[in-house]
Amino acid sequence: MNILITGGAGFLGSHLSERLLKDGHFVLCLDNFSTGFKQNIEPLISRPNFKFLEHDISKPLTIERELHWIFHLASLASPKHYLKNPIKTLKSGLLGTYNCLGIAKAKNAKFFLSSTSEVYGDPQVHPQPEDYWGNVNPIGVRGCYDESKRGAEAITYAYMRQHNVNIRVVRIFNTYGPNMHPDDGRVISNFIVQALRNQDLTVCGDGSQTRSFCYAGDLIEGIIAAMSSDCSLPINLGNPKEVSMNHLAKLILKLTGSKSKIKYIDLPEDDPKKRQPDTNRAKKILNWYPQVSLEQGLIKTITYFKKII
Ligand code: NAD
Ligand code: UDP
């Protein structure tokens, strides 16, 4: 197949590109390098089935080539970046999704939206099933990201209903692994880089807030399974094992053998207190369940960061 991946130079996009190339597909990787990491795609550039296109997906685009699948991953994804660039974030989520759906309609291609657990906001239902509508502050500082993805879901379902575009929507929960940018700003890359540099680990608030972390390799298999399935309902993908940020910081200190200390800093505004995916739909429909434990995944990620920083 010919496959377009927007955000293909990012953390997840580069893993997805590599996985699809391995299966023999042609990958057209699009990115504007706003947070992408050039070195993620360096090993792919010389591959005959890989082509890179530098473009901002919030601007319209014409593609000559026939396309079979489109994965729309382009977005500012880390709070550090989207809080600084709220308008760009909304544009990638809303205009970018609209542009991709236009291409999907014109090419009769299957469309994949990388949505997020942030559509549930600071959840009042725990763990979060797909039929929970969420608790999002639309005018809060995180609204630019949360509402860009909620709007992206709405426009995706509108294209399915009105234009019969074949769609898949996955709500990704916190995922980590090799190919994350050292300045990405999300918690696992921050803690590992700080631990390896013998700097204090910056735990926000009192560190009791929780997240559930999925290893990238597991997530990519889930994405492929979702795209290959017949299910057009949203599907949560993530690892349900939930940990506090205090626990995570101590585990990373143990695994890196670092002498760093923990430093408590302000909790960002509207930071969700807890998050855990209900993965029953993924289990039932895709027969998917994460295989890599947090400790195993962190060891692989620490090895990666030791090489690049
Ligand atoms: P990332 O920042 O590493 O990758 C995103 C990529 O999109 C970057 O390469 C960036 O340069 C590119 N991009 C941003 N705006 C663009 C634009 N307007 N035009 C073209 N390219 C643009 O982040 P990631 O973790 O790989 O995230 C990929 C997708 O998965 C995002 O849509 C994100 O919202 C979603 N997601 C990720 C997680 C996670 O934990 N990793 C969780 C939930 C959702
Ligand atoms: N966090 C932290 N220290 C950091 C970065 C983040 O304690 O250096 C916390 C953050 O406040 C949140 C959790 O870690 O409670 C996950 O944050 P991240 O930015 O990775 O993603 P989020 O799940 O909030 O989108």
Side-chain angles (χ1 to χ4, degrees), residues 6-45:
T6 76
F11 158 50
L12 294 176
S14 56
H15 284 289
L16 186 61
S17 296
E18 210 168 334
R19 172 65 167 74
L20 293 168
L21 285 171
K22 210 197 261 166
D23 282 353
H25 301 297
F26 174 87
V27 173
L28 178 58
C29 168
L30 178 152
D31 208 292
N32 68 351
F33 290 122
S34 50
T35 56
F37 203 11
K38 280 204 172 119
Q39 73 182 58
N40 281 347
I41 54 166
E42 264 160 23
L44 308 180
I45 290 288

Side-chain angles (χ1 to χ4, degrees), residues 11-12 31-32 34-36 56-57 73 114 145 149 175 186:
F11 158 50
L12 294 176
D31 208 292
N32 68 351
S34 50
T35 56
D56 176 348
I57 196 59
L73 271 64
S114 62
Y145 182 67
K149 294 290 186 173
T175 301
R186 281 174 281 189

Side-chain angles (χ1 to χ4, degrees), residues 9-269:
F11 158 50
L12 294 176
S14 56
H15 284 289
L16 186 61
S17 296
E18 210 168 334
R19 172 65 167 74
L20 293 168
L21 285 171
K22 210 197 261 166
D23 282 353
H25 301 297
F26 174 87
V27 173
L28 178 58
C29 168
L30 178 152
D31 208 292
N32 68 351
F33 290 122
S34 50
T35 56
F37 203 11
K38 280 204 172 119
Q39 73 182 58
N40 281 347
I41 54 166
E42 264 160 23
L44 308 180
I45 290 288
S46 58
R47 308 266 284 268
N49 279 1
F50 182 84
K51 190 166 181 279
F52 180 73
L53 183 61
E54 189 162 349
H55 182 79
D56 176 348
I57 196 59
S58 64
K59 303 204 167 87
L61 164 76
T62 310
I63 293 176
E64 301 298 332
R65 192 182 292 268
E66 193 186 351
L67 289 175
H68 304 97
W69 282 3
I70 298 173
F71 289 91
H72 179 38
L73 271 64
S75 174
L76 298 180
S78 159
K80 170 178 166 179
H81 295 293
Y82 66 66
L83 294 174
K84 262 193 246 152
N85 286 297
I87 297 173
K88 275 194 180 153
T89 306
L90 281 154
K91 283 170 82 175
S92 316
L94 303 175
L95 302 179
T97 305
Y98 168 69
N99 288 333
C100 286
L101 283 161
I103 300 170
K105 177 173 171 256
K107 305 278 178 188
N108 202 17
K110 200 190 247 193
F111 174 77
F112 175 99
L113 176 68
S114 62
S115 186
T116 170
S117 53
E118 289 281 333
V119 300
Y120 304 121
D122 189 8
Q124 290 171 332
V125 171
H126 195 71
Q128 295 80 57
E130 290 86 350
D131 57 9
Y132 176 47
W133 292 354
N135 177 38
V136 171
N137 175 2
I139 60 161
V141 288
R142 289 173 88 105
C144 62
Y145 182 67
D146 302 6
E147 298 296 0
S148 81
K149 294 290 186 173
R150 288 167 69 97
E153 288 197 11
I155 194 171
T156 299
Y157 282 94
Y159 266 73
M160 178 186 87
R161 295 192 183 104
Q162 200 172 330
H163 292 310
N164 272 323
V165 173
N166 195 1
I167 61 125
R168 300 290 174 268
V169 174
V170 160
R171 294 180 180 152
I172 302 170
F173 284 64
N174 298 68
T175 301
Y176 69 99
N179 291 13
M180 289 189 93
H181 196 292
D183 294 325
D184 178 273
R186 281 174 281 189
V187 67
I188 289 194
S189 49
N190 269 10
F191 284 177
I192 294 178
V193 170
Q194 289 163 342
L196 294 178
R197 290 182 173 151
N198 288 317
Q199 297 165 346
D200 292 345
L201 269 59
T202 51
V203 172
C204 298
D206 65 4
S208 63
Q209 71 275 28
T210 65
R211 296 292 187 271
S212 308
F213 295 102
C214 185
Y215 186 65
D218 278 337
L219 186 92
I220 296 298
E221 292 314 310
I223 286 181
I224 304 277
M227 190 60 156
S228 309
S229 78
D230 291 333
C231 179
S232 58
L233 293 168
I235 302 178
N236 287 340
L237 289 181
N239 190 325
K241 172 98 176 61
E242 185 179 353
V243 295
S244 72
M245 295 312 102
N246 279 326
H247 175 90
L248 179 70
K250 287 179 195 151
L251 182 58
I252 289 175
L253 286 177
K254 185 183 104 185
L255 296 176
T256 51
S258 168
K259 300 272 173 294
S260 295
K261 304 261 175 300
I262 289 177
K263 175 170 123 191
Y264 290 91
I265 61 170
D266 288 347
L267 188 69
E269 209 177 311

